[in-house]
Amino acid sequence: MKPITKRDALAGAAALAAGLAAALASKPAAAARPAIPLGSAAEIGSYRSDPRYRAALAQYCDVIVPMNDLKWEALRHDRARFDFSGADELVDFALAGGKALRGHTLLWGEALPPWAKTMTTRREAERELVRHIETVVDRYKGRIATWDVVNEAIAFDPKPGEPYRDTIWRRLLGPEHIEIAFRAAARVDPGARLVLNDFNFEEPHPGVAARRQIAIDIIRKLKDKGVPIHGLGMQAHLYAENPIDRHGLLQFMLDLGKLDVDVEITELDVIDWKLPADAMTRDRAAASLVSTYLQTIVEARPPRAIVTWGLSDRYTWINETFPRKDAAAARPLPLDADYKPKLMLHVLQRYRRAAA
Ligand code: XIL
């Protein structure tokens, strides 16, 4: 195994710069250079208003993920009627540019319209969930190749005996909520890649090891029951101040391989709220962290795709969700707010498919 650059975002700019230089300069072995499509989530408001955003999506992405427009909140604002307007626009854009699509997401405890939060019975929840999945997957059959069928089902900091996140789906449908969703998606589009998507599998913390084990258990149970599941989506919202558990992550990749499921990186960005203000220091730390993370995964098995949660620092959820104390804008993504490539982009492109 190749030694990995030590990453510690707070260890000082010099160490980070040296680490990054080594990461960029090292000639990756053939196994470290797989053909991996790159992509980004696309947000409809910015897509509609900013031609430079559209151009960047066209230029840098092999894969597009509608960021919010396939969520229940967007599609099911009205209980009786589906609104596909935003999703259709992004799907058409992606396909016209020869890009693949990931669908995000069919079951999630968040981003629900108000009416969905008032469901009270198992019968009602199952009826609505299955109808939703049938309608949405059927509409994009043959166009959206991969679905995040279930998003964030694993408990944040799992307690013994309760592996699942407390959501309306878990409450009304029990542990089978996951299975119900996967079965419904597979029935409608047997050709689709069906993925369980979740966050934080990478930090050296006992709660994170528990989360990895729960993911393995969920996938094994689905497989044992003959429920189709093809991949694990790892969101990878990486906290710059926390180290990567290389050993745990590598072992996780091997365990997933034994279960015959692929992995994909689905929402990569770097939460830089605790880093020093200097932009170059932050960009180096972010690129170095992403390099360590991806290299660890690729050493075990190449992911099916690497998708960042946005492309340019101009538009990112990190500003609202993880604001900096100094109120400086976050720098979590591969392009800066003016669409200039950052060091992170170079790291990502090492993994991009040769033909792109
Ligand atoms: C975020 C979007 O980026 C925001 O625009 C929106 O306001 C809230 O949701 N995990 C997920 C994503 O699975 O769907 C979330 O996206 C970020 C965290």
Side-chain angles (χ1 to χ4, degrees), residues 40-43 63-76 84 86-87 90-91 100-112 132-133 136-137 140 143-153 165 193-199 232-237 264-268 307-310 317:
S40 169
E43 195 274 311
V63 183
I64 296 282
V65 185
M67 183 180 277
N68 294 313
D69 284 273
L70 287 165
K71 293 175 180 170
W72 279 61
E73 204 171 44
L75 294 174
R76 307 294 306 282
F84 290 107
L90 293 171
V91 167
L101 280 145
R102 305 189 76 262
H104 176 84
T105 175
L106 299 169
L107 182 159
W108 191 21
E110 291 180 36
L112 292 168
H132 177 89
I133 292 176
V136 177
V137 173
Y140 296 110
R143 295 191 288 162
I144 294 187
T146 305
W147 281 100
D148 289 338
V149 178
V150 171
N151 193 38
E152 300 184 352
R165 189 121 175 217
R193 273 181 53 70
L194 305 181
V195 169
L196 179 74
N197 194 49
D198 220 308
F199 61 86
L232 178 75
M234 305 202 295
Q235 291 186 1
H237 299 293
E264 39 204 284
I265 315 303
T266 54
E267 305 185 15
L268 180 63
V307 174
T308 53
W309 207 240
W317 74 303

Coordinates of all heavy atoms in Angstrom, one line a residue, residues 40-43 63-76 84 86-87 90-91 100-112 132-133 136-137 140 143-153 165 193-199 232-237 264-268 307-310 317:
S40 N -21.5 16.7 -10.7 CA -21.9 17.6 -9.6 C -23.4 17.6 -9.5 O -24.1 17.3 -10.4 CB -21.4 19.0 -10.1 OG -22.0 20.0 -9.2
A41 N -23.8 18.0 -8.3 CA -25.2 18.4 -8.1 C -25.5 19.7 -8.8 O -24.6 20.6 -8.8 CB -25.5 18.5 -6.6
A42 N -26.7 19.9 -9.4 CA -27.0 21.1 -10.1 C -28.3 21.7 -9.4 O -29.3 21.0 -9.2 CB -27.3 20.8 -11.5
E43 N -28.2 23.0 -9.1 CA -29.3 23.6 -8.4 C -30.1 24.5 -9.4 O -29.5 25.3 -10.1 CB -28.7 24.5 -7.2 CG -29.7 25.0 -6.2 CD -30.3 26.3 -6.6 OE1 -29.6 27.2 -7.0 OE2 -31.6 26.3 -6.6
V63 N -21.5 13.5 -15.0 CA -22.7 13.1 -14.3 C -23.4 14.3 -13.6 O -22.7 15.2 -13.1 CB -22.4 12.1 -13.1 CG1 -23.6 11.6 -12.4 CG2 -21.5 11.0 -13.6
I64 N -24.7 14.4 -13.7 CA -25.4 15.5 -13.1 C -26.5 14.9 -12.1 O -27.1 13.9 -12.4 CB -26.2 16.3 -14.2 CG1 -25.3 17.0 -15.1 CG2 -27.2 17.3 -13.5 CD1 -24.6 18.3 -14.6
V65 N -26.6 15.6 -11.0 CA -27.6 15.2 -10.0 C -28.5 16.4 -9.7 O -27.9 17.4 -9.2 CB -26.9 14.8 -8.6 CG1 -28.0 14.3 -7.7 CG2 -25.8 13.8 -8.9
P66 N -29.7 16.4 -10.0 CA -30.6 17.5 -9.6 C -30.5 17.6 -8.0 O -30.7 16.7 -7.3 CB -32.0 17.1 -10.0 CG -31.8 16.2 -11.2 CD -30.5 15.4 -10.8
M67 N -30.0 18.8 -7.6 CA -29.7 19.0 -6.2 C -30.9 18.9 -5.3 O -30.9 18.2 -4.3 CB -29.0 20.3 -5.9 CG -28.5 20.5 -4.5 SD -27.7 22.0 -4.2 CE -26.0 21.7 -4.7
N68 N -32.0 19.6 -5.7 CA -33.2 19.6 -4.8 C -34.5 19.2 -5.5 O -35.5 19.0 -4.9 CB -33.4 21.0 -4.2 CG -32.2 21.3 -3.2 OD1 -31.9 20.5 -2.4 ND2 -31.7 22.5 -3.4
D69 N -34.4 19.1 -6.9 CA -35.7 19.1 -7.6 C -36.3 17.7 -7.7 O -37.4 17.6 -8.2 CB -35.5 19.7 -9.0 CG -35.4 21.2 -8.9 OD1 -36.5 21.8 -8.9 OD2 -34.3 21.7 -8.7
L70 N -35.6 16.7 -7.2 CA -36.3 15.4 -7.1 C -36.7 15.0 -5.7 O -37.1 13.9 -5.4 CB -35.4 14.3 -7.7 CG -35.3 14.3 -9.3 CD1 -34.1 13.5 -9.8 CD2 -36.6 13.8 -9.9
K71 N -36.5 16.0 -4.8 CA -36.9 15.7 -3.4 C -38.5 15.9 -3.3 O -39.1 16.6 -4.1 CB -36.2 16.7 -2.5 CG -34.7 16.5 -2.4 CD -34.0 17.5 -1.6 CE -32.5 17.2 -1.6 NZ -31.7 18.3 -1.0
W72 N -39.0 15.3 -2.3 CA -40.5 15.3 -2.2 C -41.0 16.8 -2.1 O -42.0 17.1 -2.7 CB -40.9 14.6 -0.9 CG -41.0 13.1 -1.0 CD1 -40.0 12.3 -1.3 CD2 -42.1 12.3 -0.7 NE1 -40.4 11.0 -1.3 CE2 -41.8 11.0 -0.9 CE3 -43.5 12.6 -0.4 CZ2 -42.6 9.9 -0.8 CZ3 -44.3 11.5 -0.2 CH2 -43.9 10.2 -0.4
E73 N -40.2 17.6 -1.4 CA -40.6 19.0 -1.2 C -40.8 19.7 -2.6 O -41.7 20.5 -2.7 CB -39.4 19.7 -0.5 CG -39.7 20.9 0.2 CD -38.4 21.3 1.0 OE1 -37.3 21.2 0.4 OE2 -38.5 21.6 2.2
A74 N -40.0 19.4 -3.6 CA -40.1 20.0 -4.9 C -41.2 19.3 -5.7 O -42.0 20.0 -6.4 CB -38.8 19.9 -5.6
L75 N -41.2 18.0 -5.7 CA -42.2 17.2 -6.6 C -43.6 17.2 -6.0 O -44.5 17.1 -6.8 CB -41.7 15.8 -6.7 CG -40.3 15.5 -7.4 CD1 -40.0 14.0 -7.4 CD2 -40.5 15.9 -8.9
R76 N -43.7 17.1 -4.7 CA -45.0 16.8 -4.1 C -45.6 18.0 -3.2 O -46.2 17.7 -2.2 CB -44.9 15.6 -3.2 CG -44.2 14.4 -3.8 CD -45.1 13.8 -4.9 NE -46.5 13.5 -4.5 CZ -46.8 12.4 -3.8 NH1 -46.0 11.5 -3.5 NH2 -48.1 12.2 -3.5
F84 N -43.0 18.2 -12.0 CA -41.7 17.8 -12.5 C -40.9 18.9 -13.2 O -39.9 18.6 -13.9 CB -41.9 16.6 -13.5 CG -42.3 15.3 -12.8 CD1 -43.6 14.9 -13.0 CD2 -41.4 14.6 -12.0 CE1 -44.0 13.7 -12.4 CE2 -41.9 13.4 -11.4 CZ -43.2 13.0 -11.6
G86 N -38.8 21.5 -12.5 CA -37.4 21.7 -12.3 C -36.6 20.5 -12.7 O -35.5 20.6 -13.3
A87 N -37.0 19.3 -12.2 CA -36.3 18.1 -12.5 C -36.2 17.8 -14.0 O -35.1 17.5 -14.6 CB -37.0 16.9 -11.9
L90 N -33.5 20.0 -15.7 CA -32.1 19.5 -15.4 C -31.8 18.2 -16.1 O -30.7 18.0 -16.6 CB -31.8 19.4 -13.9 CG -31.9 20.8 -13.2 CD1 -31.8 20.6 -11.7 CD2 -30.7 21.7 -13.6
V91 N -32.8 17.3 -16.2 CA -32.6 16.0 -16.9 C -32.4 16.3 -18.3 O -31.5 15.7 -18.9 CB -33.8 15.1 -16.6 CG1 -33.8 13.9 -17.5 CG2 -33.8 14.6 -15.1
A100 N -24.6 11.4 -17.7 CA -25.4 10.5 -17.0 C -26.1 11.2 -15.9 O -25.7 12.3 -15.5 CB -24.5 9.4 -16.4
L101 N -27.1 10.6 -15.3 CA -27.9 11.2 -14.2 C -28.0 10.3 -13.0 O -28.1 9.1 -13.1 CB -29.3 11.5 -14.7 CG -29.4 12.8 -15.5 CD1 -30.5 12.7 -16.6 CD2 -29.7 14.0 -14.6
R102 N -27.9 11.0 -11.8 CA -28.2 10.3 -10.6 C -29.5 10.9 -10.1 O -29.6 12.2 -10.1 CB -27.1 10.4 -9.5 CG -25.7 10.0 -9.9 CD -24.8 10.0 -8.7 NE -25.0 8.8 -7.9 CZ -25.7 8.8 -6.8 NH1 -26.2 9.9 -6.3 NH2 -25.9 7.7 -6.1
G103 N -30.4 10.1 -9.6 CA -31.6 10.7 -9.0 C -31.5 10.7 -7.5 O -31.2 9.7 -6.8
H104 N -31.8 11.9 -6.9 CA -31.7 12.1 -5.5 C -32.9 12.8 -5.0 O -33.2 14.0 -5.4 CB -30.5 13.0 -5.2 CG -30.2 13.4 -3.8 ND1 -29.6 12.6 -2.9 CD2 -30.6 14.5 -3.1 CE1 -29.5 13.2 -1.8 NE2 -30.1 14.4 -1.9
T105 N -33.8 12.2 -4.2 CA -33.7 10.9 -3.6 C -35.2 10.5 -3.4 O -36.0 11.3 -3.3 CB -32.9 11.0 -2.3 OG1 -33.0 9.7 -1.6 CG2 -33.4 12.0 -1.3
L106 N -35.4 9.2 -3.3 CA -36.8 8.7 -3.2 C -37.4 8.6 -1.8 O -38.6 8.8 -1.6 CB -36.9 7.3 -3.9 CG -36.5 7.3 -5.4 CD1 -36.3 5.9 -5.9 CD2 -37.5 8.1 -6.2
L107 N -36.6 8.3 -0.9 CA -37.0 8.3 0.5 C -36.1 9.0 1.4 O -34.9 8.7 1.4 CB -37.2 6.8 1.0 CG -37.7 6.6 2.4 CD1 -38.3 5.2 2.6 CD2 -36.7 6.8 3.5
W108 N -36.5 10.0 2.1 CA -35.7 10.8 3.0 C -36.6 11.4 4.1 O -37.7 11.7 3.8 CB -35.0 11.9 2.3 CG -33.9 12.6 3.0 CD1 -33.2 12.2 4.1 CD2 -33.3 14.0 2.8 NE1 -32.2 13.1 4.5 CE2 -32.3 14.2 3.7 CE3 -33.6 14.9 1.8 CZ2 -31.6 15.4 3.7 CZ3 -32.9 16.1 1.8 CH2 -31.9 16.3 2.8
G109 N -36.1 11.5 5.3 CA -36.8 12.0 6.4 C -36.9 13.5 6.4 O -37.7 14.1 7.1
E110 N -36.1 14.2 5.5 CA -36.1 15.6 5.4 C -36.7 16.0 4.0 O -36.9 15.2 3.2 CB -34.7 16.2 5.6 CG -34.3 16.0 7.0 CD -32.9 16.5 7.3 OE1 -32.5 17.6 6.7 OE2 -32.2 15.9 8.1
A111 N -36.8 17.3 3.8 CA -37.3 17.9 2.6 C -38.6 17.4 2.2 O -38.9 17.1 1.0 CB -36.2 17.7 1.4
L112 N -39.5 17.2 3.2 CA -40.8 16.7 2.9 C -41.8 17.9 2.9 O -41.6 18.9 3.7 CB -41.3 15.8 4.1 CG -40.5 14.4 4.1 CD1 -40.8 13.7 5.4 CD2 -40.9 13.6 2.9
H132 N -45.4 7.3 -4.9 CA -44.3 8.3 -5.2 C -43.2 7.7 -6.0 O -42.8 8.1 -7.1 CB -43.8 8.9 -3.9 CG -42.7 9.9 -4.2 ND1 -42.9 11.2 -4.3 CD2 -41.3 9.7 -4.2 CE1 -41.8 11.9 -4.5 NE2 -40.8 11.0 -4.5
I133 N -42.7 6.6 -5.5 CA -41.6 5.9 -6.2 C -42.0 5.4 -7.6 O -41.2 5.6 -8.5 CB -41.0 4.8 -5.3 CG1 -40.4 5.4 -4.0 CG2 -40.0 3.9 -6.0 CD1 -39.8 4.4 -3.0
V136 N -42.3 8.5 -10.0 CA -41.0 9.2 -10.3 C -40.1 8.3 -11.1 O -39.5 8.8 -12.1 CB -40.4 9.8 -9.0 CG1 -39.1 10.4 -9.2 CG2 -41.4 10.7 -8.2
V137 N -39.9 7.1 -10.6 CA -38.9 6.2 -11.3 C -39.4 5.9 -12.7 O -38.7 5.9 -13.7 CB -38.7 5.0 -10.5 CG1 -37.8 4.0 -11.2 CG2 -38.0 5.3 -9.1
Y140 N -38.7 8.7 -15.3 CA -37.3 8.9 -15.8 C -36.7 7.6 -16.1 O -35.4 7.5 -16.3 CB -36.5 9.6 -14.7 CG -37.1 11.0 -14.5 CD1 -37.7 11.4 -13.3 CD2 -36.9 12.0 -15.4 CE1 -38.2 12.6 -13.1 CE2 -37.4 13.3 -15.3 CZ -38.1 13.6 -14.1 OH -38.6 14.9 -13.9
R143 N -33.7 7.1 -18.4 CA -33.0 8.4 -18.4 C -32.1 8.6 -17.2 O -31.0 9.0 -17.2 CB -34.0 9.5 -18.6 CG -34.7 9.4 -20.0 CD -35.5 10.7 -20.3 NE -36.6 10.8 -19.5 CZ -37.3 11.9 -19.3 NH1 -36.9 13.1 -19.9 NH2 -38.4 11.9 -18.5
I144 N -32.7 8.3 -16.0 CA -32.0 8.4 -14.8 C -31.5 7.0 -14.5 O -32.3 6.1 -14.2 CB -32.8 9.0 -13.6 CG1 -33.1 10.4 -13.9 CG2 -32.0 8.8 -12.3 CD1 -33.8 11.2 -12.8
A145 N -30.2 6.8 -14.6 CA -29.6 5.4 -14.5 C -29.4 4.9 -13.1 O -29.5 3.7 -12.8 CB -28.3 5.4 -15.2
T146 N -29.2 5.9 -12.2 CA -28.9 5.5 -10.8 C -29.8 6.3 -9.8 O -30.0 7.5 -10.0 CB -27.4 5.9 -10.5 OG1 -26.6 5.3 -11.4 CG2 -27.0 5.4 -9.1
W147 N -30.3 5.6 -8.8 CA -31.2 6.3 -7.8 C -30.6 6.2 -6.4 O -30.3 5.1 -6.0 CB -32.6 5.7 -7.8 CG -33.5 6.2 -8.9 CD1 -33.7 5.6 -10.1 CD2 -34.1 7.5 -9.0 NE1 -34.5 6.3 -10.9 CE2 -34.8 7.5 -10.3 CE3 -34.3 8.6 -8.1 CZ2 -35.6 8.6 -10.6 CZ3 -35.0 9.6 -8.5 CH2 -35.7 9.7 -9.8
D148 N -30.5 7.3 -5.7 CA -30.4 7.3 -4.3 C -31.8 6.9 -3.7 O -32.6 7.8 -3.5 CB -30.0 8.6 -3.7 CG -28.5 9.0 -4.1 OD1 -27.7 8.1 -4.4 OD2 -28.2 10.2 -4.0
V149 N -32.0 5.6 -3.6 CA -33.3 5.2 -3.2 C -33.7 5.6 -1.8 O -34.7 6.2 -1.5 CB -33.4 3.6 -3.3 CG1 -34.8 3.2 -2.9 CG2 -33.1 3.2 -4.7
V150 N -32.7 5.4 -0.9 CA -33.0 5.8 0.5 C -31.8 6.7 0.9 O -30.6 6.4 0.7 CB -33.0 4.5 1.4 CG1 -33.0 4.9 2.9 CG2 -34.3 3.7 1.1
N151 N -32.1 7.8 1.5 CA -31.1 8.8 1.9 C -31.1 8.9 3.5 O -32.2 9.1 4.1 CB -31.4 10.2 1.3 CG -30.3 11.2 1.4 OD1 -29.1 10.8 1.3 ND2 -30.7 12.4 1.6
E152 N -29.9 8.8 4.0 CA -29.8 9.1 5.5 C -30.7 8.3 6.4 O -31.4 8.9 7.2 CB -29.9 10.6 5.7 CG -28.9 11.4 4.9 CD -28.9 12.9 5.2 OE1 -29.8 13.4 5.9 OE2 -28.0 13.6 4.7
A153 N -30.7 7.0 6.2 CA -31.5 6.2 7.1 C -30.8 5.7 8.3 O -31.4 5.2 9.3 CB -32.0 4.9 6.3
R165 N -32.3 6.1 11.7 CA -32.6 7.5 12.0 C -34.1 7.6 12.3 O -34.9 6.9 11.6 CB -32.3 8.3 10.8 CG -32.4 9.8 11.0 CD -31.0 10.4 10.7 NE -31.1 11.8 10.7 CZ -30.4 12.6 9.9 NH1 -29.7 12.1 9.0 NH2 -30.5 13.9 10.1
R193 N -29.7 1.3 -11.4 CA -28.8 1.1 -10.2 C -29.4 1.7 -9.0 O -29.7 2.9 -8.9 CB -27.4 1.8 -10.5 CG -26.4 0.9 -11.3 CD -25.1 1.7 -11.4 NE -24.5 2.1 -10.1 CZ -24.0 1.4 -9.2 NH1 -24.0 0.1 -9.4 NH2 -23.6 1.9 -8.1
L194 N -29.5 0.9 -7.9 CA -30.2 1.3 -6.7 C -29.2 1.4 -5.6 O -28.5 0.5 -5.3 CB -31.3 0.3 -6.4 CG -32.3 0.1 -7.6 CD1 -33.4 -0.9 -7.2 CD2 -32.9 1.4 -8.1
V195 N -29.2 2.6 -5.0 CA -28.2 2.9 -4.0 C -28.8 3.4 -2.7 O -29.8 4.0 -2.6 CB -27.3 4.1 -4.6 CG1 -26.4 4.7 -3.6 CG2 -26.6 3.6 -5.9
L196 N -28.1 3.0 -1.6 CA -28.3 3.4 -0.3 C -27.3 4.6 0.0 O -26.1 4.4 -0.1 CB -28.1 2.3 0.7 CG -28.2 2.6 2.2 CD1 -29.7 2.7 2.5 CD2 -27.6 1.5 3.0
N197 N -27.8 5.8 0.3 CA -27.0 6.9 0.4 C -26.9 7.5 1.8 O -27.9 7.6 2.5 CB -27.5 8.1 -0.5 CG -26.5 9.2 -0.8 OD1 -25.4 8.9 -1.2 ND2 -26.9 10.4 -0.6
D198 N -25.7 7.7 2.3 CA -25.6 8.2 3.7 C -24.3 9.0 3.9 O -23.4 9.0 3.0 CB -25.8 7.1 4.7 CG -26.6 7.5 5.9 OD1 -26.4 8.6 6.5 OD2 -27.6 6.8 6.2
F199 N -24.2 9.6 5.1 CA -23.0 10.4 5.3 C -22.1 9.9 6.4 O -22.5 9.0 7.1 CB -23.4 11.9 5.6 CG -24.3 12.0 6.9 CD1 -23.7 12.1 8.1 CD2 -25.6 12.0 6.7 CE1 -24.5 12.2 9.2 CE2 -26.4 12.1 7.9 CZ -25.8 12.2 9.1
L232 N -23.5 1.6 -2.5 CA -23.6 2.5 -1.3 C -23.1 3.9 -1.8 O -22.0 4.0 -2.3 CB -22.7 2.0 -0.2 CG -22.7 2.9 1.0 CD1 -24.0 2.8 1.8 CD2 -21.5 2.7 2.0
G233 N -23.9 4.9 -1.6 CA -23.5 6.2 -1.9 C -22.9 6.8 -0.6 O -23.5 6.8 0.5
M234 N -21.7 7.4 -0.7 CA -21.0 8.0 0.4 C -21.0 9.5 0.2 O -20.4 10.0 -0.8 CB -19.6 7.4 0.6 CG -19.7 5.9 0.7 SD -18.2 5.2 1.5 CE -17.0 5.6 0.3
Q235 N -21.8 10.2 1.0 CA -22.0 11.7 0.7 C -20.6 12.4 0.7 O -20.4 13.2 -0.1 CB -22.9 12.3 1.7 CG -24.3 11.8 1.6 CD -25.3 12.5 2.5 OE1 -24.9 13.4 3.3 NE2 -26.6 12.2 2.4
A236 N -19.8 12.2 1.7 CA -18.5 12.8 1.8 C -18.5 14.3 2.0 O -17.9 15.1 1.2 CB -17.6 12.4 0.6
H237 N -19.4 14.8 2.9 CA -19.3 16.2 3.3 C -18.2 16.2 4.4 O -18.4 15.9 5.5 CB -20.6 16.7 3.9 CG -21.7 16.7 2.9 ND1 -21.8 17.5 1.8 CD2 -22.9 15.9 2.9 CE1 -22.9 17.3 1.1 NE2 -23.6 16.3 1.8
E264 N -20.1 4.8 -4.5 CA -19.9 6.0 -5.3 C -19.9 7.2 -4.3 O -20.5 7.1 -3.2 CB -21.0 6.2 -6.4 CG -22.4 5.8 -6.0 CD -23.2 5.5 -7.3 OE1 -23.6 6.5 -7.9 OE2 -23.4 4.4 -7.6
I265 N -19.1 8.2 -4.7 CA -19.0 9.4 -3.8 C -20.1 10.3 -4.3 O -20.0 10.7 -5.5 CB -17.6 10.1 -4.0 CG1 -16.5 9.0 -3.9 CG2 -17.4 11.1 -2.9 CD1 -16.5 8.2 -2.7
T266 N -21.0 10.7 -3.5 CA -22.2 11.4 -4.0 C -22.4 12.8 -3.7 O -23.1 13.5 -4.4 CB -23.5 10.6 -3.5 OG1 -23.4 10.5 -2.1 CG2 -23.5 9.2 -4.1
E267 N -21.7 13.3 -2.7 CA -22.0 14.8 -2.3 C -20.7 15.4 -1.8 O -20.8 16.2 -0.8 CB -23.1 14.8 -1.2 CG -24.4 14.1 -1.6 CD -25.5 14.3 -0.7 OE1 -25.5 15.2 0.2 OE2 -26.5 13.6 -0.8
L268 N -19.6 15.2 -2.4 CA -18.3 15.6 -1.9 C -18.2 17.2 -1.8 O -18.6 17.9 -2.7 CB -17.2 15.1 -2.8 CG -15.8 15.4 -2.5 CD1 -15.4 14.9 -1.2 CD2 -14.9 14.9 -3.6
V307 N -19.0 12.6 -7.3 CA -19.9 13.7 -7.5 C -19.7 14.7 -6.4 O -19.8 14.4 -5.2 CB -21.4 13.2 -7.5 CG1 -22.4 14.4 -7.6 CG2 -21.6 12.3 -8.7
T308 N -19.5 16.0 -6.7 CA -19.4 17.0 -5.7 C -20.8 17.7 -5.5 O -21.6 17.7 -6.5 CB -18.3 18.1 -6.1 OG1 -18.6 18.6 -7.4 CG2 -16.9 17.5 -6.1
W309 N -21.0 18.3 -4.3 CA -22.3 18.9 -4.1 C -22.3 20.3 -4.5 O -22.4 21.3 -3.7 CB -22.6 18.7 -2.6 CG -24.1 18.6 -2.4 CD1 -24.9 19.5 -1.6 CD2 -25.1 17.7 -3.0 NE1 -26.2 19.1 -1.7 CE2 -26.3 18.1 -2.5 CE3 -24.9 16.7 -3.9 CZ2 -27.5 17.4 -2.9 CZ3 -26.1 16.0 -4.3 CH2 -27.4 16.4 -3.8
G310 N -22.2 20.5 -5.8 CA -22.1 21.8 -6.4 C -20.7 21.9 -7.0 O -19.9 21.0 -6.8
W317 N -24.4 25.1 -0.1 CA -25.2 25.0 1.1 C -24.3 25.2 2.4 O -24.8 25.5 3.4 CB -25.9 23.7 1.1 CG -25.0 22.5 1.5 CD1 -23.9 22.1 0.8 CD2 -25.1 21.6 2.6 NE1 -23.3 21.0 1.4 CE2 -24.1 20.7 2.5 CE3 -26.1 21.4 3.6 CZ2 -23.9 19.6 3.4 CZ3 -25.9 20.4 4.5 CH2 -24.8 19.5 4.4

